[in-house]
Amino acid sequence: MVGLVETPGLPLPGLGFSVSHQRVELDIDVVSRSLKGKIEITINPHTKELKTVRLNCRQCEVKRLSINGKPASSLRYEDPYARMKLSWQAGVNQHHMLRERVEGQLKNPPEEELIVNLPKSIRIDELDPFSVEAQNLLLAKSLGSTKRDSGDRSVLDLVQNSRIAVEQTARFTPITLHVDFVIKRIRDGMQFVGWEKDDLRYPHAYSTNSQSPGTACCLFPCVDDLTSRCTWEISIKCPKTIGDALERRLPSITELHRNGNAAATYDVDGNRHMPGADSTLPKFSDEDKALDLAVVCSGEMTDEIIDPSDPSRKTTSFICSTAVAPQHIGFAIGPFEHVDLADFRESDEDDKLGQNAVPLHGFCLPGRTEELKNTCLPMAKAIDFFTLTYGSYPFTSYKLCFVEDLYSDILHTASLSLCSNRLLFPEDIVEPLDRVTRQLVHALAFQWMGVNVIPKEMTDMWVVIGIAYFITDVFMKKLSGNNEYRYHHKQASDRISDMDIARPSIYDTGPIISLDSSELDFMAIKAPLVLFILDRRLAKASGSSGLSRIISRVFLNAKVGDLANGAISTAYFMRTCEKLGHTKLDTFFAQWVFGAGCPRFRVTQRFNKKKLVVEMLIQQVQGEASGDRDLEKETFIRDVKEEIHGVYAGPVQPVFTGPMTIRIHEADGTPYEHIVEIKEVTTKFDIPYNTKYKRLKRSRRQKERNAAGVGNDLLADGQDDVLLYSLGDVLQTEEEINDWRLVDWSKEDEGRMSQESYEWIRMDADFEWICKMSITMPGYMYLSQLQQDRDVVAQLESVQYMAAQREHPLVSTILVRTLMDRRYFHGIRTAAAAALTRHAKDELNWVGLHHLEKAFQEFFCFPGSPMTRSNDFSDRAAYYIQCAIPQAIAKVRDNNGKAPLRARNFLLEKLKFNDNSNNHFSDCHYLAILMTSLAEALSSTTAPSIDAFDMTDDNEDDSHFHYACLDEIDRHRRIDEWISSYHNILSITALDCKRKLAKAGVIATNIADILQYTRDGTLEDLRLNAFSNLMDLDMARNSAILRLFLCVLSTDPSSYIRDNMLRLFGKALGGIAIGESSSSVSIVTQQDGLIIEQESSTEARQADLARKQTVVGAIAALKDELGPDPVLRKALWEAATSPVIGLREMGDLLEICSLLYTPESSMMVSLKLPRYWTCKQTRKVSISPPSSPHPSPNPPPTEMVRAHTQGTFTFSHSSKFRTTPRPPSHQRSSGTAASSPASLRHENSGPSPALPPAPRTFLKPPKKPPVSVPSATAATVVSSSPSHQGAEGLTPKPRLTLKLSLKGAGARSPPAPPG
């Protein structure tokens, strides 16, 4: 498969060297966004013939470079950011030229920008790798002199690792490279927040690291590759306080005099203002100015000293003794408050770990300490669990730092996780608890697998991502329970079965994860799921602890040095699994790792009474041809990129092989397990029946109900044959049955049930497959599985089966009993509530809707009243049910596809009379669900009639109800403006509701209501939501809004805003490309007003089908619709060449340009046409002719003029343009002055004075030193040709238009000729 990125080697054999240690010193000016830096890189050559050192270095200005204290013989450096703009006035059709300039920096690994030639005096000698000198040299470079002299115990711990490293790298004499550099304006690699005038947030700054290369080298020269790992010493110099950062240097005397001011000025408060002071800086109170700026960095802090020459600045030093890549070095500077998260460690865990307990620190901006404590509460438990289960932590401490404007939720660096403030939540918020906890635990797990252990090749990325998420889920199992653990994996399995269609394998997805964010999301779901089923199979095959033991061995091998460079490969991981699991895994890895897709099983079964066996047939149907998949606007950009870069789907595997556990629950209630080996597309086998005689338990179910109805003791004598239901045995009394309108099995069903020889059959009982399973089993067997199987996966499969059945009162009865039984897992109950929507039909007298309303009333309303009680979210399971029932009611539809008034009124009342006065938790998310549900129900209806003649009571009532719903939604939006909800979720939901209702035609589209939230200063999530709603309303076709959208996308200082705006733009383009708002029916209006709907032609239907199902057709349609738009052409090119965006963002925008516009290596150049000259005499003096002793008989004309007059003439351009070339000079000189139309004569008809020659139009530039000049075509086009001379300034100015062919990306346009 042809991928987008190139797979890096290990250890970078193309460079000819490796880096063993790097020392970085950064002096950062946070106000001017600049820095001064020094680096010292220790290089281990791989050969004696090393002549050139190549480093990645961007946006830097190299001041001094030396090698072993000697200046470099020569160096070559070209900043890619200086090439991010074409030197001429190019347009969007020259996007390919701009792409060629930065193509090398968009690769993985990127091309090196700094190339240094070693001086001839530098000798590289071969060393004995086992000599004492070589080991001491590497040890000194690895640990740093500061830590070595301090007698730190970690020095002794790393002696063995240092020896292993020497064996691998120290073969030749090391080389030390010193570089002094300056960055005048940091454009990439760091994010600055709060330093602008109108930004009211606490000022701070942090590095924006990425797993992809290209970000670390923006701050300091390095080998920016994941496999280039070394030890680090980092020193960061910054202002001591916020006030110190805002103080600028005093201008010099020269600057004062240049500005015209000799002294400072004072305001009314006595504050001193120096001339030239920047008025764009934010204003802070004295208390805020006194806040200390803390530095949080990867590694362990060694010291913090005040600069002796400038007490307002300080230097903080760190050391990282574990070898990591430059991408994993990160830092943050800001007024952070510190929280010791180790205080939340339980006492028994603290005693168990003792001195091995890992220090845990949290950092946040002022005022958010309590949110930090609440959010990071499980982290101490998580790090202790990982340490005891998988081995020691690879670093000395772990830190979490929460910052603003982070483009992703979490950035992973060594011993430090930079987290977004969006993850913080207070104690009264319930909704994000599980999601945020899993994200933070995964960030911790990534320290073991992702930072300490890296993939050897990009194709091995699935191992790293899979193991990190696997151990995260193992801890979440301990934290949340086994039901949550299995329920999460079942949902992930169903999702992957739907997603893994026409996709590459997870092995081939590794090189393209930087192609689009959805590629990484897909791998993050499937990779841990593959390891989950591998763990299940290993545990059953070998009886061991499964995958946990293997992961522990991998971490141990990385620690002792068995993993070269700490890089793991797929082959190594497979060998380790086979060695410790005592089984062959070639087939498993071939199908699930190197292969693509998921199996789909179709199972049929029949009981053979003669043989007393169960005959089963298992077929794999994933190879059956399916229809073409329609394109979706959410994934359009990914599909386009895969098409452009040649990413192809893996072949469909006709057969997946492996063991499958089948569990048959026979008539006596005993489960019998049978393991069947699946080897072919169709597998037939017989399963022996173990029960010798039938116990017809089903015929005795009525006895049990009767016993429960009269209150008999079910365990008393004479009731031994009664079946005790484990779950779902609620609502059994006669009164409840009548009140809830429940039904029971018919006599025919009871008869069939009594003839069955087993209760139910469970396929893949041990969850060893990622598959879709279709079993031809009667509904009453699924009911037995739902009520009697304690596995949450089996219960979910039963609910999913019933949700797919046609509407029936019996199925609704089963589902409502499941919903009402509190013993079920909350996920099963919410799934049952969602399934009840299907049975809310008019034919069934709305029994499903009745069950949903009764359930809500039973749980959350006063007895016998529809009025809701005050909210109580202390029971999280009950909270999920309270949210699920309104969502289900919102989906109820009648036969016309409209939500019944009964359902809409229910939702309005619950929103209107919601009471949260006695609740300890916030109800903002619950209110958002009610608002969304009400809007969804309203969107199925039509707007009330405004016909003046329609005065019926029904229409009037419907109109009042309609506006009451809209007012209630808008009321919560206005409340959110005064009392902000968590992340302004109520305002976000209100905008979503308006967008949904506007698209459905229920309300008029009012862009101003949404546009007001797109201004600067609005909360990021709310602002992005406003832009998202504008794009969903097809406002990408509005020139003004599109110009605003692209302006924000390319100029906003927040990388989070820019990144999400780029995704929204791709989604909007996808909607236009697939024709989301277009229709295949054309409407023709006759002159008499008759409207005729006529189907489009066959060609139009084919084109419409092509744009919806093929990438090529969608791109062609997109180019036809948006290509001619001049506003988009200009705005998109300005966005692509914006000085604010980074290289990756420019690459994405240029790819969008390539979709819309054909590349052209030529451009239109406009030159001014020459104008005729005019001459005006401004002064005239009459004089006598001079006397001459020898007069000439034929004096020349000039002398004759002098004989008559002497004066002053003024020459100027006229308004008349010359549109024809002038004849050559030899032809022009042959004519007389009188015949020239441009000649001027004196009043007395004397000869004209000599005029300057008319300017020529040069089609070629004058000769200059040799430069790259484009060649011009011979064609000359005259845009306009005036036939007469007009008044000055009124006649349009024609331009000579030339079409130049530009050869090469670096071509320059010729200068305009004179005239």
Side-chain angles (χ1 to χ4, degrees):
M1 185 185 80
V2 181
L4 169 67
V5 296
E6 300 176 2
T7 305
L10 199 161
L12 300 176
L15 295 179
F17 65 90
S18 59
V19 179
S20 62
H21 182 72
Q22 183 160 348
R23 183 176 181 179
V24 180
E25 298 180 7
L26 301 178
D27 185 354
I28 302 177
D29 188 347
V30 290
V31 175
S32 63
R33 301 188 180 189
S34 61
L35 65 82
K36 299 178 182 179
K38 299 180 181 179
I39 64 164
E40 177 185 312
I41 304 179
T42 302
I43 294 174
N44 290 326
H46 293 169
T47 176
K48 297 175 63 176
E49 288 75 24
L50 179 66
K51 302 298 181 182
T52 304
V53 175
R54 301 196 302 271
L55 299 175
N56 298 105
C57 180
R58 299 180 183 179
Q59 67 183 8
C60 300
E61 181 180 342
V62 178
K63 293 297 185 180
R64 188 175 66 89
L65 191 148
S66 62
I67 303 173
N68 288 351
K70 303 177 182 178
S73 58
S74 64
L75 64 88
R76 180 161 55 91
Y77 172 64
E78 186 175 6
D79 184 12
Y81 289 87
R83 305 196 306 268
M84 288 175 61
K85 191 172 183 180
L86 299 178
S87 56
W88 60 86
Q89 297 298 324
V92 71
N93 291 100
Q94 284 76 49
H95 59 82
H96 62 293
M97 295 184 176
L98 187 57
R99 176 81 185 195
E100 291 174 0
R101 287 171 167 253
V102 297
E103 187 67 33
Q105 279 62 44
L106 297 177
K107 297 180 180 179
N108 188 6
E111 295 180 358
E112 297 80 12
E113 296 84 8
L114 180 60
I115 301 176
V116 182
N117 294 325
L118 301 182
K120 296 182 179 180
S121 58
I122 300 295
R123 292 188 54 185
I124 301 177
D125 299 326
E126 189 170 1
L127 294 178
D128 181 9
F130 300 101
S131 63
V132 178
E133 292 80 8
Q135 295 185 32
N136 290 340
L137 178 63
L138 186 67
L139 187 63
K141 296 300 182 181
S142 301
L143 303 178
S145 58
T146 303
K147 194 167 183 179
R148 184 180 66 250
D149 297 339
S150 64
D152 197 299
R153 182 180 177 183
S154 60
V155 175
L156 302 177
D157 296 336
L158 292 175
V159 170
Q160 182 180 5
N161 294 347
S162 301
R163 180 177 179 84
I164 296 172
V166 167
E167 295 175 1
Q168 298 174 353
T169 58
R171 296 177 52 196
F172 300 94
T173 306
I175 299 174
T176 303
L177 182 69
H178 295 265
V179 181
D180 294 354
F181 60 95
V182 174
I183 302 179
K184 296 182 179 179
R185 186 72 175 178
I186 299 177
R187 180 170 175 176
D188 242 344
M190 281 192 71
Q191 179 70 37
F192 297 85
V193 181
W195 300 102
E196 291 79 16
K197 179 180 179 181
D198 297 328
D199 198 341
L200 303 180
R201 295 172 294 182
Y202 284 100
H204 58 286
Y206 54 89
S207 59
T208 54
N209 299 67
S210 172
Q211 295 301 309
S212 301
T215 54
C217 61
C218 293
L219 298 181
F220 51 84
C222 61
V223 180
D224 200 348
D225 189 89
L226 191 62
T227 57
S228 177
R229 292 152 58 89
C230 65
T231 54
W232 296 81
E233 289 182 71
I234 304 106
S235 297
I236 298 177
K237 188 176 182 180
C238 66
K240 186 174 180 296
T241 64
I242 293 179
D244 295 334
L246 297 177
E247 290 182 359
R248 293 164 300 281
R249 65 177 180 86
L250 297 179
S252 62
I253 299 298
T254 303
E255 293 174 335
L256 293 178
H257 286 288
R258 185 186 302 121
N259 294 332
N261 298 319
T265 59
Y266 296 85
D267 59 14
V268 294
D269 297 328
N271 297 322
R272 186 185 187 192
H273 298 278
M274 298 305 300
D278 190 358
S279 61
T280 62
L281 292 176
K283 306 298 182 181
F284 294 96
S285 63
D286 294 337
E287 183 180 357
D288 291 336
K289 289 182 179 180
L291 293 175
D292 289 334
L293 292 178
V295 180
V296 186
C297 183
S298 300
E300 180 183 1
M301 187 176 71
T302 56
D303 54 30
E304 180 179 280
I305 58 176
I306 304 298
D307 190 349
S309 60
D310 186 0
S312 65
R313 303 182 67 82
K314 65 179 180 180
T315 302
T316 310
S317 302
F318 301 84
I319 186 170
C320 185
S321 56
T322 302
V324 295
Q327 292 98 314
H328 295 147
I329 296 297
F331 61 88
I333 304 172
F336 300 116
E337 295 180 352
H338 172 255
V339 176
D340 189 1
L341 298 177
D343 295 340
F344 298 99
R345 182 174 281 122
E346 298 179 0
S347 57
D348 55 344
E349 296 290 341
D350 201 2
D351 297 338
K352 186 185 302 183
L353 292 171
Q355 294 183 353
N356 294 326
V358 180
L360 195 61
H361 307 280
F363 297 90
C364 65
L365 295 174
R368 312 202 68 170
T369 303
E370 295 301 322
E371 295 181 25
L372 172 64
K373 293 179 180 179
N374 181 72
T375 305
C376 300
L377 182 64
M379 297 307 296
K381 188 179 185 68
I383 198 169
D384 295 342
F385 174 80
F386 289 152
T387 303
L388 295 175
T389 307
Y390 300 108
S392 61
Y393 180 65
F395 304 101
T396 56
S397 64
Y398 180 62
K399 302 175 285 290
L400 296 105
C401 184
F402 291 84
V403 294
E404 297 277 3
D405 285 351
L406 196 62
Y407 68 90
S408 64
D409 287 340
I410 297 177
L411 293 182
H412 309 284
T413 66
S415 74
L416 169 66
S417 292
L418 293 174
C419 308
S420 172
N421 273 347
R422 298 183 299 271
L423 299 180
L424 294 174
F425 61 95
E427 293 182 353
D428 61 342
I429 298 296
V430 180
E431 190 71 23
L433 179 60
D434 293 333
R435 172 180 55 85
V436 172
T437 300
R438 188 170 186 266
Q439 285 182 283
L440 294 180
V441 173
H442 172 259
L444 175 60
F446 205 83
Q447 297 293 317
W448 272 270
M449 180 59 71
V451 177
N452 183 47
V453 179
I454 61 173
K456 185 175 182 180
E457 306 284 347
M458 290 304 296
T459 51
D460 304 317
M461 183 64 73
W462 77 272
V463 183
V464 174
I465 294 177
I467 292 180
Y469 275 106
F470 177 82
I471 63 178
T472 299
D473 292 335
V474 172
F475 172 75
M476 294 301 296
K477 176 183 177 180
K478 180 179 181 181
L479 192 66
S480 304
N482 187 61
N483 281 344
E484 184 73 41
Y485 177 72
R486 291 181 64 85
Y487 181 77
H488 167 75
H489 281 86
K490 174 59 179 174
Q491 287 186 316
S493 177
D494 293 341
R495 186 178 177 187
I496 280 296
S497 298
D498 296 332
M499 293 176 60
D500 199 1
I501 300 175
R503 276 183 175 267
S505 64
I506 56 175
Y507 182 81
D508 294 328
T509 304
I512 61 173
I513 58 173
S514 59
L515 189 68
D516 190 77
S517 59
S518 60
E519 306 286 0
L520 183 59
D521 296 338
F522 170 75
M523 182 180 289
I525 299 174
K526 185 174 182 181
L529 206 56
V530 170
L531 295 182
F532 171 75
I533 63 173
L534 176 62
D535 175 66
R536 304 296 298 174
R537 296 192 183 186
L538 288 176
K540 180 176 290 187
S542 61
S544 62
S545 58
L547 204 58
S548 296
R549 180 187 175 196
I550 296 171
I551 296 175
S552 301
R553 178 62 63 87
V554 169
F555 293 154
L556 179 62
N557 292 345
K559 181 179 181 181
V560 301
D562 287 351
L563 279 178
N565 201 32
I568 188 172
S569 64
T570 302
Y572 176 87
F573 180 68
M574 185 172 66
R575 289 196 306 268
T576 306
C577 293
E578 290 178 342
K579 181 180 179 181
L580 300 181
H582 309 291
T583 183
K584 284 292 183 181
L585 298 172
D586 297 344
T587 305
F588 179 88
F589 276 78
Q591 294 173 354
W592 297 103
V593 176
F594 303 107
C598 296
R600 296 176 181 269
F601 293 107
R602 183 186 300 152
V603 182
T604 58
Q605 44 78 29
R606 187 178 69 90
F607 179 70
N608 192 323
K609 296 181 180 180
K610 294 182 179 180
K611 299 181 180 179
L612 288 179
V613 296
V614 180
E615 299 174 347
M616 301 200 68
L617 174 65
I618 302 178
Q619 295 177 303
Q620 298 191 40
V621 296
Q622 68 270 10
E624 295 181 359
S626 58
D628 294 333
R629 180 179 63 92
D630 289 343
L631 298 176
E632 299 177 358
K633 65 179 182 179
E634 289 80 7
T635 60
F636 172 73
I637 293 297
R638 175 180 65 84
D639 294 334
V640 169
K641 289 182 178 180
E642 290 181 350
E643 182 77 16
I644 293 176
H645 297 286
V647 179
Y648 303 108
V652 178
Q653 303 181 65
V655 181
F656 283 80
T657 62
M660 179 179 291
T661 302
I662 302 175
R663 183 180 300 156
I664 299 181
H665 294 256
E666 298 188 1
D668 61 350
T670 305
Y672 295 92
E673 289 190 355
H674 307 271
I675 299 178
V676 179
E677 194 71 25
I678 306 297
K679 297 181 179 180
E680 299 177 354
V681 176
T682 301
T683 304
K684 295 182 179 180
F685 54 91
D686 296 337
I687 297 179
Y689 191 73
N690 296 279
T691 305
K692 297 182 183 296
Y693 57 90
K694 296 181 182 179
R695 296 176 57 197
L696 303 179
K697 299 187 297 179
R698 295 186 182 275
S699 64
R700 293 192 292 271
R701 288 185 174 176
Q702 189 61 37
K703 296 182 182 179
E704 178 197 5
R705 297 191 186 97
N706 296 334
V710 299
N712 292 343
D713 187 2
L714 299 180
L715 298 179
D717 296 339
Q719 298 292 337
D720 295 338
D721 57 347
V722 176
L723 174 64
L724 292 178
Y725 290 94
S726 59
L727 295 171
D729 55 351
V730 297
L731 305 178
Q732 296 290 342
T733 65
E734 198 70 30
E735 181 182 357
E736 291 173 334
I737 291 175
N738 295 331
D739 190 24
W740 287 75
R741 293 162 51 185
L742 307 178
V743 298
D744 207 345
W745 296 97
S746 63
K747 294 183 178 180
E748 293 78 7
D749 293 333
E750 290 281 356
R752 285 194 299 269
M753 293 162 60
S754 64
Q755 299 300 321
E756 294 292 346
S757 302
Y758 49 87
E759 293 287 328
W760 75 91
I761 297 178
R762 176 83 189 283
M763 303 296 297
D764 189 24
D766 288 339
F767 207 159
E768 302 172 81
W769 293 77
I770 307 171
C771 63
K772 284 283 188 180
M773 190 80 67
S774 175
I775 310 174
T776 56
M777 196 166 60
Y780 47 78
M781 289 190 177
Y782 278 103
L783 173 61
S784 298
Q785 177 175 306
L786 174 62
Q787 294 179 339
Q788 300 179 39
D789 200 322
R790 297 184 178 181
D791 187 5
V792 67
V793 176
Q795 297 169 4
L796 184 59
E797 290 174 350
S798 299
V799 174
Q800 290 173 344
Y801 169 82
M802 294 179 183
Q805 302 306 304
R806 58 182 299 270
E807 57 273 7
H808 195 278
L810 179 60
V811 180
S812 183
T813 299
I814 296 171
L815 292 174
V816 75
R817 281 175 172 161
T818 304
L819 174 60
M820 295 302 296
D821 195 341
R822 301 175 187 267
R823 294 170 294 178
Y824 278 108
F825 178 65
H826 66 81
I828 305 301
R829 299 173 66 192
T830 55
L836 279 170
T837 303
R838 188 179 183 88
H839 307 278
K841 297 295 182 182
D842 193 13
E843 296 81 1
L844 304 180
N845 197 17
W846 304 103
V847 62
L849 180 58
H850 174 72
H851 288 161
L852 288 170
E853 292 174 342
K854 286 286 292 182
F856 193 91
Q857 180 182 356
E858 182 73 19
F859 286 136
F860 311 110
C861 297
F862 292 104
S865 172
M867 182 61 65
T868 57
R869 300 191 301 266
S870 179
N871 295 328
D872 183 9
F873 297 159
S874 57
D875 185 355
R876 291 184 61 203
Y879 168 74
Y880 293 138
I881 301 302
Q882 189 171 353
C883 294
I885 293 179
Q887 290 175 313
I889 293 179
K891 294 181 174 62
V892 175
R893 298 291 183 269
D894 58 14
N895 294 332
N896 297 325
K898 298 181 179 180
L901 180 61
R902 174 180 166 185
R904 286 178 282 155
N905 190 54
F906 174 88
L907 296 172
L908 177 60
E909 288 182 352
K910 299 303 174 285
L911 178 62
K912 190 174 184 179
F913 300 108
N914 176 70
D915 180 15
N916 202 60
S917 57
N918 299 322
N919 192 12
H920 295 291
F921 299 92
S922 172
D923 63 344
C924 58
H925 285 89
Y926 175 63
L927 286 173
I929 290 174
L930 291 177
M931 294 167 63
T932 304
S933 302
L934 180 59
E936 184 174 358
L938 285 178
S939 63
S940 65
T941 62
T942 57
S945 176
I946 58 175
D947 189 357
F949 297 98
D950 189 0
M951 302 298 294
T952 60
D953 294 338
D954 293 341
N955 182 71
E956 186 176 356
D957 293 341
D958 188 62
S959 177
H960 288 314
F961 179 81
H962 175 81
Y963 290 112
C965 294
L966 298 180
D967 290 342
E968 193 62 29
I969 292 175
D970 198 60
R971 181 175 71 89
H972 286 85
R973 181 191 62 82
R974 295 195 303 269
I975 291 176
D976 193 43
E977 292 180 354
W978 291 96
I979 307 175
S980 298
S981 59
Y982 177 72
H983 288 179
N984 287 122
I985 187 173
L986 295 182
S987 297
I988 291 175
T989 306
L991 294 184
D992 290 338
C993 294
K994 289 186 177 182
R995 182 255 310 163
K996 185 177 296 184
L997 295 174
K999 292 190 71 174
V1002 178
I1003 62 174
T1005 303
N1006 190 354
I1007 301 303
D1009 291 345
I1010 303 176
L1011 203 60
Q1012 61 178 332
Y1013 293 100
T1014 62
R1015 295 175 298 184
D1016 293 340
T1018 308
L1019 186 71
E1020 290 83 358
D1021 291 334
L1022 179 57
R1023 190 181 182 197
L1024 289 172
N1025 179 267
F1027 278 115
S1028 177
N1029 288 323
L1030 289 175
M1031 294 298 104
D1032 285 343
L1033 291 173
D1034 205 21
M1035 287 296 106
R1037 302 176 187 272
N1038 186 298
S1039 299
I1041 293 180
L1042 180 61
R1043 193 162 54 243
L1044 170 66
F1045 186 93
L1046 290 175
C1047 178
V1048 174
L1049 184 151
S1050 58
T1051 60
D1052 196 272
S1054 171
S1055 58
Y1056 175 68
I1057 294 289
R1058 297 198 307 269
D1059 184 69
N1060 283 274
M1061 292 284 284
L1062 188 58
R1063 297 181 186 179
L1064 292 178
F1065 187 49
K1067 182 180 175 181
L1069 293 178
I1072 297 175
I1074 64 178
E1076 185 183 40
S1077 59
S1078 62
S1079 176
S1080 59
V1081 178
S1082 59
I1083 300 178
V1084 181
T1085 304
Q1086 302 294 341
Q1087 294 182 356
D1088 56 358
L1090 180 63
I1091 297 178
I1092 302 176
E1093 292 188 0
Q1094 181 181 357
E1095 292 186 358
S1096 57
S1097 62
T1098 304
E1099 293 78 8
R1101 289 197 300 269
Q1102 290 177 350
D1104 185 71
L1105 185 64
R1107 73 186 301 181
K1108 293 181 181 299
Q1109 294 186 349
T1110 64
V1111 175
V1112 177
I1115 293 177
L1118 182 65
K1119 185 179 295 186
D1120 292 340
E1121 292 197 21
L1122 296 183
D1125 187 359
V1127 175
L1128 178 62
R1129 295 173 66 91
K1130 181 180 179 181
L1132 186 57
W1133 185 246
E1134 290 177 354
T1137 56
S1138 170
V1140 178
I1141 62 175
L1143 269 174
R1144 290 287 174 183
E1145 295 166 309
M1146 171 180 281
D1148 292 336
L1149 288 173
L1150 290 178
E1151 283 194 343
I1152 294 177
C1153 293
S1154 66
L1155 300 180
L1156 298 173
Y1157 308 104
T1158 304
E1160 295 181 2
S1161 296
S1162 61
M1163 60 181 295
M1164 304 303 293
V1165 179
S1166 298
L1167 303 177
K1168 293 182 179 180
L1169 287 172
R1171 290 189 294 178
Y1172 287 101
W1173 290 87
T1174 60
C1175 180
K1176 183 177 181 181
Q1177 184 177 4
T1178 58
R1179 182 182 178 187
K1180 180 175 64 174
V1181 179
S1182 298
I1183 58 175
S1184 300
S1187 58
S1188 174
H1190 304 284
S1192 175
N1194 296 315
T1198 55
E1199 294 185 6
M1200 294 176 64
V1201 173
R1202 295 193 189 98
H1204 290 83
T1205 61
Q1206 183 175 357
T1208 304
F1209 296 87
T1210 302
F1211 294 92
S1212 62
H1213 281 295
S1214 67
S1215 59
K1216 182 179 180 181
F1217 295 89
R1218 182 168 56 82
T1219 59
T1220 57
R1222 296 194 61 180
S1225 58
H1226 66 278
Q1227 297 181 8
R1228 193 167 60 248
S1229 61
S1230 62
T1232 62
S1235 63
S1236 175
S1239 62
L1240 298 178
R1241 295 182 177 271
H1242 196 260
E1243 293 179 346
N1244 56 6
S1245 300
S1248 302
L1251 299 179
R1256 296 180 55 190
T1257 300
F1258 292 94
L1259 298 184
K1260 295 182 180 180
K1263 293 184 179 181
K1264 292 183 178 181
V1267 293
S1268 177
V1269 179
S1271 61
T1273 60
T1276 303
V1277 182
V1278 179
S1279 57
S1280 63
S1281 177
S1283 58
H1284 61 279
Q1285 179 176 347
E1288 180 73 17
L1290 299 180
T1291 305
K1293 299 180 180 180
R1295 294 179 180 272
L1296 182 66
T1297 303
L1298 305 179
K1299 188 173 184 180
L1300 303 181
S1301 177
L1302 305 180
K1303 297 182 180 179
R1308 298 180 179 178
S1309 64

